[in-house]
Amino acid sequence: MTSAHGYGRHGMIGIGTPQANPTVEAEMAILLPPTVTRVTTRLTSDAAASEDRLRAYIERLDDALTLFDTLRPHVFGFACTAASYLIEPAREAEIIAAAQARFGYPVITAAAAIAWKLRALGARRIALVSPYPPALGTAASAYWTRQGFAPAGIGSVAIAGHDTRGIYALDSEDARAALLSLGDLAVDAILITGSGMPSLPLLADPPPNLPPIISSNLALAEALLDQLGLPLPDWRARCRAATEGSSS
């Protein structure tokens, strides 16, 4: 697969990120190889309540994709995990199918990518690291139960207030204590959920003696590359270069 515009000889990936999210683009720049072109659109809503805003991101998916105009990436990643936790599965499937039919390329949600990766790992019993307010953390656990997994515990990462935008002020190290709190659970994998939760420095240097750890952005990047027939590259050196001198 090649791009016709001179860059990205291995293809073009579209990304949709929540409007105030600074994490998705930064982590995709680390995770995706330079031979793949990245193009980004914002998922937008003026809803005041977090849950209403998150639902609007998926309900208004067509609006976000329309902003690409005539540009057609080879595959598109919907990088908002929490939206999937808050919408009925049948409705989400309807939206995704309609977008694929209209625009002509595959659409992969972060939640679908996580499920794909967990199944590839053979994981069933999982634990969650959640930077969400309690109600949304509960919705996340219920979602993974419906998907056929068995959530065994949630390690919470505190944010300021109840607006999920508070996630964007977090640092990768903020999840370490929550991750360690899950260490005694007998689980097959740990999921750091939420595309706004910075996590790559932590995943590059995880605490010892834990099961496989994945994140929303890591799983989504791998699933998008799989659509192009490409493996996930060794991204750790790029992560160190990107975060050198930072608090993480």
Side-chain angles (χ1 to χ4, degrees), residues 207-219:
N209 304 316
L210 290 178
I213 307 165
I214 64 173
S215 72
S216 295
N217 290 333
L218 181 63

Side-chain angles (χ1 to χ4, degrees), residues 2-98:
T2 60
S3 291
H5 56 85
Y7 295 103
R9 66 181 182 274
H10 287 155
M12 179 186 294
I13 286 176
I15 301 290
T17 179
Q19 54 202 7
N21 185 321
T23 307
V24 169
E25 289 151 308
E27 295 200 338
M28 289 297 170
I30 292 168
L31 292 167
L32 299 179
T35 55
V36 171
T37 296
R38 301 181 310 276
V39 292
T40 307
T41 185
R42 312 308 286 191
L43 308 171
T44 63
S45 169
D46 59 5
S50 294
E51 293 190 0
D52 292 340
R53 194 168 58 245
L54 292 164
R55 289 189 193 95
Y57 292 156
I58 186 69
E59 290 284 356
R60 296 174 55 182
L61 176 60
D62 269 21
D63 293 344
L65 297 180
T66 298
L67 293 176
F68 282 142
D69 193 39
T70 59
L71 184 66
R72 292 293 184 267
H74 294 110
V75 61
F76 177 82
F78 179 82
C80 181
T81 325
S84 296
Y85 298 157
L86 295 172
I87 191 171
E88 287 297 321
R91 175 59 182 152
E92 181 177 58
E94 178 184 28
I95 293 167
I96 297 301

Side-chain angles (χ1 to χ4, degrees), residues 1 16 32 72 82 85 87 89-90 96 103 124 126 141 165 176 187 189 200 204 212 221 223:
M1 182 175 292
L32 299 179
R72 292 293 184 267
Y85 298 157
I87 191 171
I96 297 301
F103 295 100
R124 183 178 181 277
I126 64 173
S141 182
R165 293 188 186 99
R176 188 175 291 272
V187 296
L200 292 187

